[in-house]
Amino acid sequence: MEVGGSPLVPCTAQPALDPRARRDDVTRMKRHMSNAENPFASRTILVIGAGELGMPVLRNVAGRAPREGATVSVMLRSSAITSDDPAKRRDLAEIRDLGIEVVAGDLVENSVEELAAIFSGYDTVIGCAGIAAGVETPMKVARAALESGIPRYFPWQFGVDFEVIGRGSPQDIFDSQLDVRELLRGQDDTEWVVISTGMFMNYLFEPGSGMVDLSTDTVNALGSLDTAVTLTTPEDIGVLTAEILFAAPRIRNEIVYVAGDTVTYGEVAETLEAVLERPFERTVWSVSTLLDELAADPDNMTRKYRAVFAQGRGVAWDKADTFNAIRGIPTTDLRTWVASNLAGNRA
């Protein structure tokens, strides 16, 4: 999962922002969706990255582009463009078949000024490179976007509600994402859109996450069995990103919430039992235990995420209030995902 460091020792978290801030964002989203159309629209679009999320975004944005009179480009590292890796070659071939122009650029190696020069050829930039480039990269890319003078920017913030989580959480990269939001809100030249997706649904089942262990039929609940988490598939995020990008009236300066499903860990176990037709053991990884584990290995990214999700703040929201629910856009819920992807694991 792309859920996005330096060494981190758990500390006393600062107070999270009032959860009413999220409700205000939802209210504004609904209001803008009923307003008259604005004249500006995204027509020259640059997507950064073509990984787990970038490819679904590229497929869906490129699929809509001809109807919208838009063109789509993707920025990739030179090493990815020339790679002999079969998977990368397949992705690159698909990208070109979709009519997407490939542009060379590197979020780490290029300076802010060099990135700004690349971005300046477009009216919209969508960040899909994830957090692998490091904790400083989100701010670097945001500064480049503003320096370039682009009219519209979608930062890499496909994930949780950083403001409800607040500063000083176990995951230090979330503080840098809050810095990006403050930077964007502090200016009026570039419109911005943040898409909050929750956890990538498939990450719940990846062995490295530890949350669902199919080898032992165990659900390891983060925090408690009643702790909730919002889940969305990368494929649905790709669909919804295209819908949000081309929405009329234009969405601007908003946090847009989407969701495939919002469930508790207890409901995850119940769903697995119902679909796979066998019992699942339930264990709880408490917040204190996860913080102790993180203290023993403060650079461990997985342990940072586990501790944040266990605390339960800002990691779940009501699907009924989301962009996709309001617009009537179907998304994959947990039961459907399990039936489609884990059917071979039935008893």
Side-chain angles (χ1 to χ4, degrees):
M1 171 193 181
E2 300 188 19
V3 286
S6 57
L8 175 71
V9 176
C11 60
T12 302
Q14 299 178 17
L17 296 187
D18 193 328
R20 287 175 295 182
R22 181 171 71 224
R23 293 197 294 271
D24 290 344
D25 280 318
V26 171
T27 300
R28 284 194 295 272
M29 178 176 72
K30 291 178 179 177
R31 184 175 68 245
H32 282 304
M33 288 164 63
S34 63
N35 287 343
E37 183 174 1
N38 294 303
F40 172 79
S42 296
R43 292 296 177 260
T44 54
I45 300 155
L46 177 68
V47 176
I48 304 173
E52 182 180 19
L53 181 61
M55 285 303 296
V57 169
L58 286 165
R59 291 182 188 113
N60 286 278
V61 173
R64 282 283 297 273
R67 303 200 304 273
E68 304 292 341
T71 61
V72 184
S73 301
V74 61
M75 190 181 90
L76 302 175
R77 296 190 308 274
S78 295
S79 60
I81 297 171
T82 60
S83 173
D84 292 328
D85 178 81
K88 285 185 169 54
R89 302 307 301 168
R90 283 194 299 272
D91 287 345
L92 196 60
E94 180 182 356
I95 286 167
R96 288 175 169 146
D97 287 344
L98 289 168
I100 298 169
E101 181 183 3
V102 178
V103 177
D106 194 307
L107 298 183
V108 176
E109 297 299 328
N110 288 138
S111 66
V112 169
E113 293 74 22
E114 289 168 336
L115 291 172
I118 296 172
F119 297 169
S120 65
Y122 305 89
D123 60 38
T124 303
V125 172
I126 305 174
C128 292
I131 50 85
V135 69
E136 303 299 331
T137 303
M139 180 59 77
K140 179 182 180 181
V141 179
R143 291 191 185 282
L146 298 187
E147 184 174 314
S148 73
I150 57 171
R152 203 173 188 208
Y153 178 48
F154 288 64
W156 169 266
Q157 299 224 344
F158 298 89
V160 296
D161 194 328
F162 307 118
E163 286 162 312
V164 171
I165 292 171
R167 292 187 180 274
S169 78
Q171 177 49 280
D172 50 347
I173 200 170
F174 290 177
D175 285 6
S176 69
Q177 296 286 37
L178 286 171
D179 292 339
V180 169
R181 293 191 183 189
E182 290 179 2
L183 177 70
L184 296 175
R185 285 176 170 139
Q187 54 81 49
D188 298 314
D189 296 326
T190 296
E191 297 179 1
W192 52 271
V193 181
V194 166
I195 303 177
S196 291
T197 63
M199 183 188 294
F200 287 9
M201 192 173 290
N202 53 296
Y203 183 68
L204 188 69
F205 301 93
E206 289 183 8
S209 80
M211 288 174 280
V212 175
D213 186 342
L214 293 172
S215 67
T216 62
D217 291 345
T218 302
V219 172
N220 297 306
L222 303 183
S224 76
L225 288 168
D226 293 325
T227 303
V229 59
T230 290
L231 307 166
T232 314
T233 67
E235 293 75 20
D236 282 343
I237 297 170
V239 171
L240 295 170
T241 298
E243 292 288 342
I244 292 164
L245 173 67
F246 294 119
R250 182 173 81 261
I251 296 172
R252 51 182 175 170
N253 303 333
E254 299 290 343
I255 300 172
V256 182
Y257 296 87
V258 303
D261 212 341
T262 295
V263 293
T264 66
Y265 292 101
E267 290 169 337
V268 170
E270 291 169 3
T271 300
L272 287 166
E273 289 177 334
V275 176
L276 302 184
E277 300 174 349
R278 65 177 187 266
F280 271 72
E281 183 180 350
R282 295 148 173 82
T283 63
V284 174
W285 292 351
S286 69
V287 172
S288 60
T289 296
L290 293 172
L291 288 175
D292 287 344
E293 290 180 353
L294 178 57
D297 188 5
D299 292 331
N300 189 304
M301 191 65 69
T302 297
R303 291 185 178 185
K304 293 179 184 183
Y305 281 117
R306 285 176 183 168
V308 168
F309 278 90
Q311 290 173 338
R313 296 192 307 271
V315 299
W317 41 87
D318 191 339
K319 184 176 178 178
D321 290 332
T322 61
F323 174 87
N324 47 285
I326 294 167
R327 291 274 178 131
I329 302 170
T331 53
T332 304
D333 62 16
L334 179 64
R335 186 183 184 95
T336 301
W337 192 96
V338 171
S340 298
N341 292 275
L342 302 180
N345 284 281
R346 281 196 176 95

